[in-house]
Amino acid sequence: MRMSARRLHGFTLIEVLIALVIMAVMAGMAWRGLDAVLRSREISQAHLDRTTRLQTVLAQWEQDLRLLQDSQLVPALAFDGASLRLTRATEQGLQVVVWTVRNGELDRWATPPVTTQDALTQAYERSLQPLSLAEGSVRTLQGLQEWQVYFYRGSAWSHAQSSDDVQQPAAPAQPPSQPAPGVPQRKKLPNGVRIVLSFLPDSGYGGPVTRQLQLGPQQQ
């Protein structure tokens, strides 16, 4: 009777070891669950950051196009396969903006606003120099594989480089300023612009992203 009463008040070594093993297994399972939750949260946050970044960049792209302004001096909108170049209106004057893809990045480059024809021509000439673009560009998106730009002319979309309708302006009252050498010939503005962005498989952006914008009559 004494031995039975003594065993009722304690645990054997085997029982203690079994309890420790069970607690260790439960702790491991709990840690794995917590780690999975933390990883899922990090992935969701990274996806949200990428989505927010993409929407911000596309909003800036749309803003540039909405403020498109034809100076009648340099091309208001042109695409050469690597860069989308445009002139936009600001409160301080006209500004030359260049969107370009380089080394898997979508960059934006912009000049300070100008108010004279000579300054605008010089700004546009500077936008044609690769070194100027490389030094002053702001990185907007990474992981970009390629992009395509389309213009809407007449009643159909076509690749921007295949649209070469040269604008024939009406005879002005005074002779217009001649564009500087190297500045492309002005072309008719399209009725809309579409951009298609394709990303690298490991970029986290998924499939291609398409955004298009109709240009208003005030920009024609």
Side-chain angles (χ1 to χ4, degrees):
M1 294 295 295
R2 290 182 179 178
M3 293 182 61
S4 299
R6 184 181 302 170
R7 295 190 60 181
L8 291 175
H9 290 82
F11 299 95
T12 64
L13 179 60
I14 295 178
E15 292 173 337
V16 172
L17 292 176
I18 293 175
L20 290 175
V21 170
I22 294 175
M23 292 177 63
V25 171
M26 294 179 63
M29 295 176 62
W31 171 253
R32 289 184 178 180
L34 179 60
D35 183 63
V37 171
L38 293 177
R39 288 179 179 272
S40 177
R41 181 179 179 180
E42 291 177 357
I43 293 174
S44 299
Q45 184 63 42
H47 178 71
L48 179 60
D49 292 342
R50 285 192 296 268
T51 301
T52 303
R53 182 69 174 177
L54 178 60
Q55 295 302 322
T56 301
V57 171
L58 292 178
Q60 179 63 67
W61 177 78
E62 289 187 352
Q63 179 74 359
D64 289 341
L65 285 174
R66 292 185 190 278
L67 296 176
L68 189 70
Q69 182 68 44
D70 191 352
S71 66
Q72 304 292 322
L73 181 65
V74 299
L77 181 65
F79 180 68
D80 60 10
S83 301
L84 181 68
R85 189 171 285 99
L86 59 93
T87 56
R88 54 167 282 179
T90 68
E91 294 181 355
Q92 294 77 29
L94 289 183
Q95 190 177 29
V96 180
V97 177
V98 182
W99 289 88
T100 186
V101 174
R102 182 173 50 248
N103 299 326
E105 298 176 358
L106 178 63
D107 298 339
R108 182 181 183 271
W109 181 91
T111 64
V114 297
T115 57
T116 66
Q117 291 185 348
D118 290 341
L120 178 61
T121 301
Q122 293 175 7
Y124 200 91
E125 289 178 342
R126 196 161 65 252
S127 75
L128 297 173
Q129 300 174 5
L131 183 60
S132 297
L133 296 181
E135 292 178 349
S137 294
V138 176
R139 179 185 304 171
T140 61
L141 284 178
Q142 293 179 292
L144 193 65
Q145 187 174 30
E146 64 176 357
W147 73 332
Q148 296 177 340
V149 179
Y150 300 90
F151 289 165
Y152 190 85
R153 297 183 184 274
S155 59
W157 289 99
S158 61
H159 195 275
Q161 288 183 284
S162 65
S163 303
D164 55 354
D165 298 331
V166 177
Q167 186 172 8
Q168 301 295 337
Q174 297 179 352
S177 300
Q178 295 297 325
V183 175
Q185 192 174 17
R186 294 176 62 254
K187 301 177 181 179
K188 292 181 180 179
L189 290 178
N191 298 321
V193 181
R194 174 189 292 170
I195 185 174
V196 180
L197 303 177
S198 299
F199 298 92
L200 296 171
D202 58 349
S203 65
Y205 285 103
V209 174
T210 302
R211 186 66 62 91
Q212 64 186 38
L213 180 70
Q214 180 179 0
L215 300 182
Q218 70 276 6
Q219 297 143 337
Q220 294 296 325

